[in-house]
Amino acid sequence: MMTWPAGSPPSQTTTPVYTVQSPQNTDVEKISTVSGFSPYGSPMNRQGHVSHYHHDSAAESSSTPRFSGPLRNEYRSVQVHDLDRIIHEDDEDYDETDGPNEMRRRKTRFCLWLLFTLVFAFTLFCLSLWGVSKSFSPIVTLKDMVLESLNVQSGSDQSGVLTDMLTLNSTVRILYKNPATFFTVHVTSSPLQLSHSQLILASGQMEKLSQRRQSEKIIETKVIGDQVPLYGGVPALYGQRAKPDQVVLPLNLTFTLRSRAYVLGRLVKTKFQSNIRCSITFYGDTLGKRLDLSKNCSDH
């Protein structure tokens, strides 16, 4: 029999204690727990290693929150559900703002805006043309008038009343100039009337014409009075039979000249109007001669 010294305790085999830190990957922990293997692939020691491993894992689990398998699946399902809800809400917003109806409304608004812009630009362009054309007013100058014949004789009017009858032939020359650089003007006129006081002695109609841009023309118009009853309204003509060279007869020549320019077809039209009035004094010895009208006429 073997004895030990009194002060010496019996020798014991000590097992080293290992501390295993749980990895962050919970899947590894799950595999190690279910399959019976350590995280590093070696079998677990039933007496020491397992208890220490679970003790350390429990300690770490107490300090670090973990999710079990079903809880993780539930968490993932919640995340997927929230993501689907966000996508669904985004789709609803897209449908509300960028759906077919909204796109149609946007196209309609764009077409209306484009149409309004084109109409406004075209209107502004037409107004600009109209304003520019107004500065090219035609120039009307009365050149002269020739009193070719003047004859007074006794007669009767249509009702048979006896009175003096006047026959007068004259020619009026008008210089018409179109200074415009980009349009033609169409010219018409009211009847040219030659009168003494309120009595009309002769009249004539000017022919219509179209005057091209930057051009001018002299217009000759016949002003004629045929068997015009005087009814004693022209005392200056009483002595015409005896002394025709001494006749002094004040006359007025009046008419309205209208000009129309088609600047942009029928869309832009410009109108000009001149009211001409000339004061003339006819002397018997000037019969058949030209009377200058350039200084005796006015536009009002």
Side-chain angles (χ1 to χ4, degrees):
M1 175 180 294
M2 295 181 64
T3 60
W4 299 92
S8 300
S11 62
Q12 295 179 356
T13 303
T14 61
T15 303
V17 178
Y18 296 94
T19 301
V20 180
Q21 297 292 333
S22 176
Q24 295 297 327
N25 193 346
T26 57
D27 294 335
V28 177
E29 180 183 354
K30 181 177 179 181
I31 294 172
S32 63
T33 305
V34 175
S35 62
F37 289 91
S38 65
Y40 302 98
S42 61
M44 294 185 297
N45 190 340
R46 294 182 180 273
Q47 295 180 356
H49 293 284
V50 174
S51 61
H52 290 291
Y53 173 74
H54 283 287
H55 175 73
D56 294 339
S57 297
E60 185 178 3
S61 300
S62 63
S63 60
T64 304
R66 301 287 178 85
F67 293 100
S68 63
L71 184 58
R72 287 174 58 83
N73 292 334
E74 183 179 358
Y75 177 71
R76 289 179 181 176
S77 64
V78 170
Q79 287 183 335
V80 173
H81 176 70
D82 293 339
L83 181 60
D84 291 339
R85 186 176 63 183
I86 293 173
I87 294 175
H88 182 66
E89 291 177 355
D90 292 339
D91 292 339
E92 289 180 353
D93 294 339
Y94 174 79
D95 293 338
E96 292 177 358
T97 57
D98 297 332
N101 294 332
E102 180 63 24
M103 293 297 293
R104 193 178 299 111
R105 287 193 293 269
R106 287 184 179 180
K107 289 181 179 179
T108 303
R109 288 195 296 267
F110 176 76
C111 292
L112 292 176
W113 176 83
L114 182 61
L115 179 62
F116 173 77
T117 303
L118 292 177
V119 171
F120 177 77
F122 183 73
T123 304
L124 187 62
F125 175 71
C126 292
L127 289 176
S128 300
L129 284 179
W130 180 82
V132 171
S133 65
K134 276 295 186 180
S135 62
F136 293 99
S137 178
I139 301 173
V140 181
T141 304
L142 271 78
K143 298 289 290 181
D144 52 51
M145 184 183 76
V146 178
L147 194 61
E148 299 166 351
S149 65
L150 178 64
N151 187 22
V152 178
Q153 62 185 3
S154 298
S156 61
D157 60 7
Q158 296 179 355
S159 61
V161 177
L162 296 176
T163 183
D164 291 335
M165 309 294 289
L166 172 68
T167 300
L168 184 150
N169 292 327
S170 63
T171 302
V172 178
R173 295 201 312 161
I174 304 170
L175 175 62
Y176 186 92
K177 182 178 180 180
N178 178 19
T181 58
F182 58 94
F183 59 83
T184 299
V185 291
H186 305 275
V187 187
T188 58
S189 172
S190 65
L192 280 70
Q193 294 181 344
L194 192 63
S195 62
H196 174 77
S197 185
Q198 301 297 324
L199 180 62
I200 298 175
L201 303 181
S203 65
Q205 182 65 54
M206 189 186 76
E207 63 179 3
K208 298 180 181 179
L209 73 148
S210 296
Q211 194 66 34
R212 295 179 299 176
R213 58 184 181 177
Q214 292 185 327
S215 62
E216 61 182 29
K217 182 180 181 180
I218 293 180
I219 307 168
E220 291 188 358
T221 304
K222 289 288 186 179
V223 181
I224 300 174
D226 185 18
Q227 296 295 312
V228 179
L230 298 179
Y231 301 112
V234 187
L237 294 177
Y238 288 163
Q240 191 268 341
R241 297 176 185 176
K243 299 178 181 180
D245 295 341
Q246 297 181 3
V247 173
V248 178
L249 181 63
L251 298 172
N252 292 320
L253 178 66
T254 57
F255 65 97
T256 300
L257 197 64
R258 300 182 183 91
S259 304
R260 179 176 298 178
Y262 297 99
V263 182
L264 191 63
R266 296 283 178 176
L267 296 176
V268 180
K269 295 184 292 185
T270 305
K271 296 181 180 180
F272 306 95
Q273 180 170 307
S274 300
N275 298 316
I276 308 298
R277 181 181 179 87
C278 302
S279 297
I280 309 165
T281 302
F282 169 71
Y283 295 95
D285 57 353
T286 60
L287 188 66
K289 297 180 180 179
R290 296 184 181 276
L291 303 177
D292 186 13
L293 301 178
S294 60
K295 298 179 181 179
N296 300 323
C297 299
S298 60
D299 183 1
H300 62 281

